[in-house]
Amino acid sequence: MATLKMPCQKVILCGEYGVGKSSLFRRFATDSFVSASDRKSTLGLDQYEKTYSVGPDERQTKLQLWDTGGLERVASVTSSYFKFAEAAILVFAMDSVDSFNVLSQHLLEIVSHAEHAKIYVCGNKIDLKHDSVVSDADIQMFCEQCHNVVTGTFKTSCKTGEGVHEMFTEIARQVAVSSRSRKELERLDDRAFKVEAPQADDEPCSC
Ligand code: GDP
């Protein structure tokens, strides 16, 4: 019996160095956290795949998460990082207004290199409540200013784990739904092309 291949959706992490992208990656992959002192510096792209059950029919979908591995510190991230991404998570740190203010630059990169990607904003380090300098109103204003290309916003703490699993589960659900409807549209398109061309003696179009 033929088995159906499980869809795999590429999701990329974007944002400034130090906002917690690798920590989100680590939470995704091993549900763990390492503090600054225990952290080994890594360089180079990382990828990890994880399966989620989504929707009322609990359909299985795979997220393939990509991390820059700190590459943005020494070089620009190449377009292959963005290519074929179904979702991009724009990460900033809640205690760093600078990391929030550069989101629009990262957004531009995503829009130019990953045209199909759904874009999400993630405010990380919510455990640092007392140092938080970015408000909900700031996040909302940013989303409005970029003409609502942002599909959703999340707040996470890699340190405590708060909000991380919920974010990836929700993204898996939304991305699975949109890729399924895109495939259905493509199938309809294919069928439309296969419809016979009108005969020469058909009524001419009046417009
Ligand atoms: P990246 O450069 O964007 O990949 O950031 P990292 O994941 O390497 O994190 C940068 C620093 O922030 C490290 O020292 C992490 O331990 C720390 N960090 C990451 N996420 C959190 C968080 O949610 N809360 C706190 N308090 N620290 C965090």
Side-chain angles (χ1 to χ4, degrees):
M1 197 175 70
T3 49
L4 279 176
K5 198 166 175 280
M6 195 191 303
C8 183
Q9 323 284 359
K10 176 175 174 181
V11 180
I12 55 175
L13 291 165
C14 305
E16 284 303 277
Y17 181 73
V19 294
K21 297 183 299 301
S22 298
S23 301
L24 279 169
F25 183 84
R26 185 183 287 268
R27 274 274 170 212
F28 178 82
T30 59
D31 198 13
S32 59
F33 176 74
V34 290
S35 61
S37 51
D38 298 330
R39 190 167 149 253
K40 283 193 202 77
S41 175
T42 56
L43 268 190
L45 303 180
D46 274 327
Q47 294 165 37
Y48 190 85
E49 286 180 8
K50 197 165 160 183
T51 304
Y52 287 84
S53 299
V54 294
D57 54 354
E58 301 259 301
R59 201 184 286 210
Q60 303 237 298
T61 192
K62 218 183 262 176
L63 285 195
Q64 183 186 61
L65 187 67
W66 286 50
D67 178 31
T68 59
L71 203 63
E72 74 278 19
R73 191 167 41 129
V74 290
S76 59
V77 178
T78 58
S79 59
S80 64
Y81 183 70
F82 298 92
K83 215 169 175 185
F84 305 125
E86 293 283 343
I89 309 176
L90 264 175
V91 188
F92 70 95
M94 295 297 291
D95 66 334
S96 158
V97 77
D98 290 346
S99 73
F100 180 71
N101 287 339
V102 293
L103 284 189
S104 53
Q105 287 173 29
H106 293 285
L107 183 75
L108 207 62
E109 267 188 312
I110 299 167
V111 173
S112 359
H113 298 299
E115 50 188 293
H116 286 309
K118 280 184 173 299
I119 299 170
Y120 299 91
V121 168
C122 169
N124 187 39
K125 308 196 187 183
I126 45 163
D127 55 289
L128 300 176
K129 283 186 189 70
H130 301 297
D131 303 317
S132 193
V133 287
V134 182
S135 68
D136 288 351
D138 295 330
I139 301 172
Q140 196 185 334
M141 201 189 298
F142 170 76
C143 295
E144 284 166 11
Q145 277 168 355
C146 40
H147 307 290
N148 298 316
V149 295
V150 175
T151 300
T153 62
F154 299 96
K155 284 194 200 164
T156 56
S157 165
C158 293
K159 187 171 184 178
T160 64
E162 189 181 345
V164 179
H165 176 68
E166 290 79 359
M167 175 176 77
F168 286 119
T169 309
E170 183 55 17
I171 292 176
R173 192 189 65 77
Q174 294 192 6
V175 169
V177 169
S178 73
S179 94
R180 219 177 295 164
S181 13
R182 208 172 53 232
K183 281 200 185 97
E184 265 152 34
L185 275 179
E186 280 164 10
R187 261 202 299 275
L188 282 177
D189 253 9
D190 272 2
R191 252 184 273 165
F193 272 123
K194 282 179 192 144
V195 170
E196 267 180 47
Q199 301 296 309
D201 57 355
D202 274 354
E203 283 275 303
C205 178
S206 57
C207 55

